Amino acid sequence: MPPKEVAVIGGGVIGLSIGWQLAKNSLGVTIYERDWAGRGASWAAAGMLSPRTEVNMQENDLLQLGLASAELYPEWVDELESDSQISVDYRTHGTLMVALNRDDQAELEHHYAVQLAHDLPVEWLTGVEAREIEPYLSPRVTSAVSCKSDFQVNNRLMVQALIQAFKKFGGNLREQTSVRKIEIQNEEAVGIQVQEDFIETDLIILSAGCWSSQVDGLPDWVRPPVRPVKGQMIALRMEAPPILQHVIYAPDAYLAPKGDGRLLIGATCEEQGFDTKITAGGIFELLRGAWEVLPSIYELPIDETWAGLRPGSRDNAPILGKTQIKNLIMATGHYRQGILLTPVTCREISALVMTDQTSNLIAPFMLKRFA
Ligand code: FAD
Ligand code: GLY
């Protein structure tokens, strides 16, 4: 029997998407969000859906999870847009990884070999071929790898759509409401402390992003080893027609052009604790890295700068599923791929709650791997 009342701690894309599906299945769901929903890492992200581009030889399980999520995306977006009546700007132009000199090219060749070893559908391009696809790329681009099936979405629209969809099915979103503590009795989670109140609940889902380890009440062996990893970003404003359609991974920055004319450039990757200051050095390096591959950005106005905190676990892979504490599920630690991994996390965790089943996909990502 599924639980009647579910408390979700954290209203980012992960908590909201699980909440949406559970509410749609007629469960009583309350999402507790200490700030405004979706304004954490989910707001800060670039929205790239790049399992093939970001593949790493050591992370085959994560690749499989990412590919599964990317495959779910089109249908998931249809359902979300239909439930929310909000378009999330799912763009299918594809992604190019580019090299600018011999060093970059050697690195790109190595990466390409890893992609081929994983049987990924990628194609090696010369600089000329890359500029036929994206004419504003610098003449200095020597070569590129095309990942035609790595797409992107507008994560800020996705957050708004998820809030709408969650509320449409009767979900209760309590913003400006911090969960202080998870109450555990005899290795069973029985409720939460919200400000001064104790709220009893049948099931708790911890999806508080990089703050997941800070909620009180968890014994050390159940505390998720998640830390904040700072990412600074900048958005430029393109005029129509846009100077870029594909996502570009350059050696020192990535560029993600959105349907509304914003060109996102990211991101730094800094171990600075919970600091979110924008630094001159951070912005300088991003602009330099982007300008080297796309010199025309020099003329573009700056729209916004910001920094967000990625939830990185000890092995930088997500923490998903049941824990050693009864009635406590985790969905956190999505690090650099939380937007990509939202549909698969949402499907697997809601199936776990509704049917007590998951697929084998999330077995490698349980908390107990850190024991
Ligand atoms: P969050 O969105 O951070 O949500 C957690 C929420 O929990 C927050 O709103 C917070 O206020 C709330 N909370 C915390 N503690 C409590 C508490 N005690 N009580 C109540 N609420 C609480 N991923 C991609 O797939 N593609 C990308 O291109 C990409 N780019 C990125 C670029 C940057 C600069 C950054 C920072 C991240 C990027 N990511 C990307 C990663 C992605 O953004 C994250 O993995 C994802 O958003 C994590 O979602 P979340 O819901 O777990 O966390
Ligand atoms: N995946 C992009 C980032 O984390 O910056």
Side-chain angles (χ1 to χ4, degrees):
M1 276 279 286
K4 284 203 175 67
E5 287 299 325
V6 180
V8 178
I9 307 176
V13 284
I14 300 300
L16 286 168
S17 63
I18 296 167
W20 162 47
Q21 283 303 316
L22 295 183
K24 199 169 177 176
N25 277 286
S26 306
L27 268 57
V29 188
T30 303
I31 297 180
Y32 297 89
E33 168 53 54
R34 57 167 203 166
D35 189 0
W36 300 111
R39 296 293 173 136
S42 304
W43 194 257
M48 301 175 302
L49 312 173
S50 315
R52 301 160 190 90
T53 309
E54 293 187 358
V55 62
N56 173 326
M57 204 64 211
Q58 283 80 47
E59 294 176 345
N60 188 49
D61 291 331
L62 189 56
L63 171 65
Q64 298 314 320
L65 194 70
L67 290 174
S69 206
E71 201 176 318
L72 290 174
Y73 242 100
E75 223 174 284
W76 191 84
V77 162
D78 281 350
E79 185 183 347
L80 179 60
E81 290 184 339
S82 153
D83 284 354
S84 65
Q85 295 298 301
I86 293 175
S87 160
V88 298
D89 190 24
Y90 180 57
R91 284 161 70 85
T92 57
H93 294 86
T95 297
L96 293 174
M97 305 180 79
V98 303
L100 287 161
N101 55 40
R102 278 176 67 171
D103 269 5
D104 301 341
Q105 180 149 334
E107 211 172 311
L108 193 57
E109 277 167 7
H110 170 74
H111 196 77
Y112 182 58
V114 172
Q115 290 172 316
L116 293 181
H118 282 286
D119 250 346
L120 298 174
V122 287
E123 190 187 352
W124 185 265
L125 304 177
T126 62
V128 172
E129 288 167 333
R131 277 182 295 278
E132 277 165 13
I133 298 174
E134 286 293 357
Y136 287 90
L137 281 179
S138 163
R140 287 180 54 211
V141 168
T142 56
S143 48
V145 171
S146 164
C147 300
K148 280 197 179 131
S149 30
D150 275 2
F151 300 150
Q152 60 164 325
V153 73
N154 183 322
N155 43 291
R156 294 188 178 179
L157 293 173
M158 190 163 126
V159 157
Q160 288 163 27
L162 283 168
I163 293 171
Q164 278 306 111
F166 175 61
K167 288 183 176 168
K168 175 182 170 176
F169 294 105
N172 181 15
L173 178 59
R174 290 191 55 185
E175 297 182 295
Q176 303 288 300
T177 308
S178 182
V179 173
R180 260 195 320 111
K181 187 175 180 194
I182 297 174
E183 286 293 344
I184 295 174
Q185 289 169 7
N186 302 323
E187 304 202 353
E188 179 174 345
V190 293
I192 50 178
Q193 284 287 347
V194 174
Q195 283 130 12
E196 297 316 310
D197 303 327
F198 171 72
I199 299 171
E200 213 175 306
T201 185
D202 300 323
L203 179 74
I204 296 167
I205 299 176
L206 179 58
S207 54
C210 69
W211 299 271
S212 295
S213 65
Q214 295 199 323
V215 182
D216 282 347
L218 296 176
D220 281 347
W221 42 278
V222 190
R223 192 169 291 284
V226 178
R227 71 193 194 286
V229 183
K230 177 178 172 183
Q232 299 188 50
M233 298 270 300
I234 179 161
L236 307 180
R237 171 70 55 188
M238 298 183 290
E239 279 174 14
I243 55 170
L244 193 69
Q245 296 283 6
H246 294 68
V247 170
I248 305 291
Y249 276 72
D252 295 323
Y254 54 71
L255 299 91
K258 301 295 171 188
D260 60 3
R262 274 164 53 106
L263 175 58
L264 308 195
I265 298 173
T268 63
C269 203
E270 303 167 63
E271 300 282 351
Q272 300 276 355
F274 289 93
D275 167 67
T276 51
K277 281 194 287 292
I278 310 294
T279 63
I283 296 302
F284 172 76
E285 292 298 341
L286 292 177
L287 286 176
R288 187 188 53 74
W291 171 78
E292 279 181 345
V293 291
L294 198 70
S296 333
I297 65 159
Y298 203 82
E299 306 294 335
L300 301 183
I302 294 175
D303 223 39
E304 189 187 346
T305 56
W306 67 95
L309 299 172
R310 306 173 181 91
S313 76
R314 207 179 293 152
D315 59 8
N316 291 332
I319 301 170
L320 304 172
K322 287 185 180 177
T323 64
Q324 298 91 317
I325 299 290
K326 199 172 165 210
N327 299 332
L328 173 66
I329 285 176
M330 284 188 194
T332 186
H334 291 74
Y335 193 40
R336 305 196 73 164
Q337 296 197 320
I339 307 298
L340 166 67
L341 296 175
T342 297
V344 77
T345 302
C346 162
R347 183 190 70 181
E348 294 289 326
I349 300 297
S350 21
L352 180 61
V353 174
M354 298 302 300
T355 65
D356 207 28
Q357 305 281 318
T358 59
S359 74
N360 288 334
L361 269 176
I362 67 164
F365 300 106
M366 292 178 73
L367 176 71
K368 66 180 183 199
R369 72 183 186 275
F370 299 111

